[in-house]
Amino acid sequence: MTHSEHATASSDSAAPRRRPLAPDTRRLETRSARAWTEPMAVRSLDSGRYAVDGASGATYTVALPDGDCDCPDRTFRGERCKHLRRVAIEVTEGRVPPPGRRRDRCAGCRREAFVPEDGPPVCDACRPERGNRATDRETGDTVVVGRLTDETAAERAVPGANCTVADYPANGSYPDDDPVVEVVYPFDGPDFDDRRRYAFPLSRLAVPGETPVA
């Protein structure tokens, strides 16, 4: 083992170094320091916009993708104001959702997460993508994801069965508000797009690393 390797191994096993969460504001310019230290409340709106409630009682709207704010400092002086900086801090720290995301309960893991602003509330870890393989928890069969739809199991009708996906006998143990995932079977014809699609509740599909059969 070289000296550098030994040093790395020792530092990895050592107790973590104590450090402040915020930067040393004495080294920051005034607006950045105020963004870190002043009491403000940031609320996500939509389309990358955020409401910032300041200590003075005023509320300003920040459009983060545009780098804009309707406060006087930004509007009249053209400065990157403390409100813009505060929103950027809170997004980076994971306190508020980034542009294009909203805070909601994921329909897959049922935990609060930042999910896409549009479409079903499914976090990145649970979101099936076209071509992903999954396992049917009921049968153990391997299926291939076609697409995640905007319909819930209670909304999607099963052709020829006179019921919805939620009411289908094999789906009784899965939530009615599960988003519907269209899947195909791997050996059901050579052309992926021409294969018959089957509608499954999201929770019925196990992704790699999960227990496939309930």
Side-chain angles (χ1 to χ4, degrees), residues 92-136:
T92 301
E93 295 287 319
R95 298 172 188 167
V96 295
R101 298 276 171 153
R102 59 188 168 91
R103 190 190 302 273
D104 204 344
R105 187 185 184 204
C106 172
C109 59
R110 301 288 160 173
R111 293 192 291 264
E112 189 175 83
F114 294 157
V115 301
E117 203 165 70
D118 300 318
V122 181
C123 70
D124 290 344
C126 297
R127 179 171 292 271
E129 300 291 345
R130 176 185 167 91
N132 288 165
R133 288 181 178 265
T135 303
D136 180 354

Side-chain angles (χ1 to χ4, degrees), residues 64 80 101 126 141 163 186:
L64 193 59
R80 188 167 183 267
R101 298 276 171 153
C126 297
D141 291 340
C163 68

Side-chain angles (χ1 to χ4, degrees), residues 40-45 49-52 64 86-99 101-103 113-115:
M40 301 184 207
V42 177
R43 292 174 285 117
S44 176
L45 300 176
R49 298 183 311 120
Y50 301 81
V52 182
L64 193 59
R86 179 58 169 261
V87 171
I89 290 168
E90 299 226 0
V91 168
T92 301
E93 295 287 319
R95 298 172 188 167
V96 295
R101 298 276 171 153
R102 59 188 168 91
R103 190 190 302 273
F114 294 157
V115 301

